[in-house]
Amino acid sequence: MSESGFFTLGVSPECYALPHPRLGLPVILLIRRVLCRAFELLRERSFRLSEAKEDAVTAALRAVIENDLRQNGSIPGFNRRTYESVVRQGQVANFDGTRRAKAPDLCFKLRHDECEPQMVLSEFDAMFVECKPVDRKHFAGSDYCDDGLIRFVVGDYAWAMQEAMMLAYARDDRTVAGHLIPAMSELRRMTLLATIRLPQPCGAPDAAAISKAEGVHISRHRRSFSWPDGKGPATDITIYHLWHDCG
């Protein structure tokens, strides 16, 4: 069996379609509300966001999201009935199965109605979130883009999806306008990320800036790999950028 076929065992090509259906802006904004509330709870519990390392922040976020928010359903639309357990660094394969232990930072998977079968590969149908600190030691270019965002472009993460999310733990007054957009505008990086559209404000009222969180920005990128089972060339991917002030 070819490398690209191992992760579709038991699913014939006619039983799934690529790309998977869009999750849509309402889902994106719900996940944003969940993340913002999780940050609020961490602050209320004196978690040191300004000092904690990337893995510690991500682990703490996941614990609050899973043990508090999904369990008690305090955010309308986000509960055990509508979402599966939020996974941190769960291993998934890349687009052709040559890398079988890729580990996106967070994964939000909606529960589908069992009466309405989905034409998807369930393991790869989710909102995948890559988290990166951005501060004096971690840069919007080399860290956030070249080591984070790139993974969605090359098909390591969210390869079956049309959308994905970058979450920045911003410190030292780092901002999208002042740091991310200039970094992404560099010619070399424009080419590396196959950028079609640089980050722009989402524009939806619920996506506007709030306390400790910048407004949601959206960028778009071309993907150059081909999907398995002769499903054709991968479509472009939309990235939602969420920058949260962890200073």
Side-chain angles (χ1 to χ4, degrees):
M1 175 173 293
S2 68
E3 288 286 334
S4 62
F6 87 95
F7 53 79
T8 60
L9 286 174
V11 183
S12 57
E14 63 270 18
C15 290
Y16 76 95
L18 291 173
H20 289 175
R22 288 186 177 278
L23 295 174
L25 188 57
V27 171
I28 306 302
L29 296 181
L30 173 59
I31 292 174
R32 186 205 188 203
R33 288 195 292 274
V34 169
L35 289 166
C36 287
R37 180 56 181 153
F39 276 115
E40 288 177 356
L41 290 173
L42 288 178
R43 287 191 178 87
E44 291 173 8
R45 297 168 187 178
S46 300
F47 184 88
R48 292 180 173 271
L49 286 169
S50 63
E51 300 174 6
K53 294 184 178 180
E54 174 188 344
D55 285 347
V57 176
T58 306
L61 274 179
R62 189 266 174 188
V64 169
I65 292 169
E66 180 62 21
N67 299 330
D68 291 345
L69 303 180
R70 195 179 75 91
Q71 293 294 324
N72 64 31
S74 59
I75 297 179
F78 185 75
N79 52 54
R80 289 179 293 176
R81 182 180 61 82
T82 56
Y83 279 79
E84 297 183 13
S85 294
V86 176
V87 175
R88 172 177 170 260
Q89 295 183 341
Q91 292 188 350
V92 295
N94 70 333
F95 75 94
D96 63 359
T98 56
R99 299 178 181 179
R100 306 187 185 189
K102 304 306 294 183
D105 288 313
L106 293 170
C107 178
F108 290 80
K109 184 183 289 287
L110 282 74
R111 293 191 187 276
H112 294 296
D113 189 337
E114 294 181 357
C115 297
E116 299 180 7
Q118 301 291 307
M119 293 284 289
V120 299
L121 293 167
S122 179
E123 180 182 1
F124 304 100
D125 188 54
M127 172 51 68
F128 294 93
V129 184
E130 179 70 357
C131 306
K132 289 292 179 185
V134 183
D135 51 35
R136 290 191 181 94
K137 296 181 179 180
H138 305 89
F139 304 106
S142 57
D143 293 275
Y144 183 94
C145 292
D146 300 351
D147 190 43
L149 175 55
I150 187 66
R151 299 177 187 184
F152 295 119
V153 178
V154 300
D156 284 345
Y157 301 160
W159 58 265
M161 306 301 294
Q162 301 180 64
E163 301 140 310
M165 184 177 289
M166 289 292 301
L167 175 61
Y169 305 147
R171 305 177 179 121
D172 303 326
D173 299 319
R174 269 36 181 184
T175 65
V176 171
H179 299 84
L180 178 60
I181 293 177
M184 288 182 63
S185 298
E186 295 177 7
L187 181 58
R188 180 194 68 82
R189 193 161 287 115
M190 288 281 289
T191 303
L192 177 70
L193 298 176
T195 302
I196 300 170
R197 187 178 73 178
L198 288 166
Q200 298 178 4
C202 175
D206 289 347
I210 58 175
S211 176
K212 297 294 186 181
E214 287 202 54
V216 178
H217 284 68
I218 303 173
S219 65
R220 192 167 181 83
H221 306 266
R222 184 171 292 109
R223 296 184 289 189
S224 60
F225 59 89
S226 294
W227 279 317
D229 289 329
K231 297 289 185 178
T235 56
D236 302 338
I237 189 166
T238 298
I239 304 295
Y240 292 87
H241 300 267
L242 278 62
W243 279 45
H244 198 94
D245 182 2
C246 291

